[in-house]
Amino acid sequence: MIESSPEPPPSADLIRLLFFGDVVGEPGRRALSDALPDLKKRLGADFVIVNGENAAGGRGITPKIAIGLLRAGAAVITTGDHIWDQGEIMPYLETEPRVLRPANYPDGAPGAGSIVLEAAKAKVAVLNLQGRTFMGPLDNPFLAAEAEVARLRAETPIILVDFHAEATSEKIALGRMLDGQVSAVIGTHTHVQTADESIFPGGTAYLSDAGMCGPAESVLGRKIEPVVERFRNHLPARFPVAKGDVRLCGAVIDVEIATGHATRITRLSEFVRCP
């Protein structure tokens, strides 16, 4: 069962983007795949982006899982710091441009960090970036964003940025820098949905973190007990993906087709009961 209130479809001069935060393990990907066709129809979404960062057992993504999410209705799959955790994804990224890795990896990394696709109403660009604060030492995401956004804007003004980062300040700073240049900057990685959705003065929609698509009774999608024990005794432990009912978190963004400016951003939180 999905608990949600329907939203009116956007007018003809708007395109509605539907974004989902980090998919966690089998419970998250199954719930999202099952719910996505109905959600897309009910919300009037024109284009769906899914962060598949933790879809494979909580770490990374495989070609099979990516294919399943694309078939369920995702137009683009973004990722983050766990993109290389499943080795089989490396050659797949060279053959499937709809699955992105962060654009600020050094030259020579498999795959690409952005894509432009033709949707029914307009071309939509998606850019995937990864932060550096409290994370791995990648190339500067701010400089990468400047270069990529300039290139993408030559094709379309409708650009969504998934900024996979730990620090809220880094996310806000990137959003402010790109205000007026992209349609939306949506943060991922922390698995906790924030309540700071807004539209900046230049017309860019912003949310510090979309949250996760994963088990509701968990610690960031993992079983509660081993995580608690890890904090209690600081001993090595495995953190299996939790079971049970799932919460699908993300955002719905309405964007002017002519300008690429966002007119509305709404947080999405759908509770899905699982057998």
Side-chain angles (χ1 to χ4, degrees):
M1 177 181 177
I2 302 171
E3 298 175 354
S4 174
S5 57
E7 296 187 29
S11 61
D13 60 344
L14 298 176
I15 186 169
R16 177 164 288 175
L17 311 180
L18 177 56
F19 183 92
F20 289 96
D22 307 43
V23 176
V24 181
E26 189 272 341
R29 67 177 188 261
R30 175 180 289 185
L32 180 59
S33 295
D34 290 347
L36 188 50
D38 175 67
L39 276 173
K40 186 176 179 181
K41 180 180 179 181
R42 182 151 45 86
L43 297 173
D46 299 297
F47 195 90
V48 179
I49 306 101
V50 175
N51 186 293
E53 162 74 1
N54 302 118
R59 299 182 66 91
I61 189 169
T62 66
K64 182 178 179 180
I65 291 171
I67 291 168
L69 291 172
L70 291 168
R71 287 177 175 171
V76 176
I77 298 172
T78 54
T79 58
D81 58 312
H82 289 298
I83 179 58
W84 313 119
D85 285 6
Q86 305 294 328
E88 60 195 287
I89 200 64
M90 291 191 183
Y92 181 71
L93 290 180
E94 301 286 12
T95 65
E96 181 47 85
R98 294 174 295 176
V99 180
L100 304 179
R101 46 83 175 162
N104 53 318
Y105 268 92
D107 291 342
S114 65
I115 190 173
V116 178
L117 291 177
E118 187 78 58
K121 289 184 175 181
K123 288 184 177 180
V124 178
V126 180
L127 171 59
N128 197 177
L129 295 165
Q130 184 174 315
R132 298 195 299 182
T133 305
F134 309 125
M135 298 186 77
L138 293 184
D139 293 346
N140 192 316
F142 289 78
L143 300 183
E146 287 180 329
E148 277 294 288
V149 168
R151 185 182 66 82
L152 295 171
R153 283 184 64 84
E155 295 190 60
T156 177
I158 304 168
I159 304 171
L160 181 140
V161 179
D162 175 351
F163 192 25
H164 197 79
E166 185 78 44
T168 302
S169 59
E170 190 178 19
K171 295 179 183 182
I172 294 172
L174 185 81
R176 290 294 184 178
M177 186 189 80
L178 295 178
D179 184 23
Q181 302 177 59
V182 302
S183 305
V185 175
I186 307 297
T188 56
H189 179 63
T190 72
H191 293 201
V192 178
Q193 188 179 64
T194 56
D196 60 340
E197 71 276 15
S198 58
I199 297 179
F200 291 158
T204 294
Y206 177 82
L207 180 65
S208 286
D209 205 285
M212 70 171 180
C213 296
E217 290 297 316
S218 70
V219 177
L220 306 184
R222 307 291 183 146
K223 287 186 177 180
I224 296 170
E225 292 78 9
V227 178
V228 171
E229 282 303 300
R230 169 68 172 172
F231 279 110
R232 289 184 70 251
N233 58 35
H234 204 61
L235 295 176
R238 293 182 181 275
F239 301 143
V241 174
K243 304 291 185 183
D245 298 337
V246 167
R247 188 166 293 280
L248 305 177
C249 293
V252 181
I253 307 110
D254 288 345
V255 178
E256 291 178 344
I257 293 172
T259 66
H261 293 167
T263 62
R264 181 187 187 198
I265 178 170
T266 306
R267 277 180 290 130
L268 177 70
S269 182
E270 298 274 342
F271 187 73
V272 180
R273 298 197 178 278
C274 300

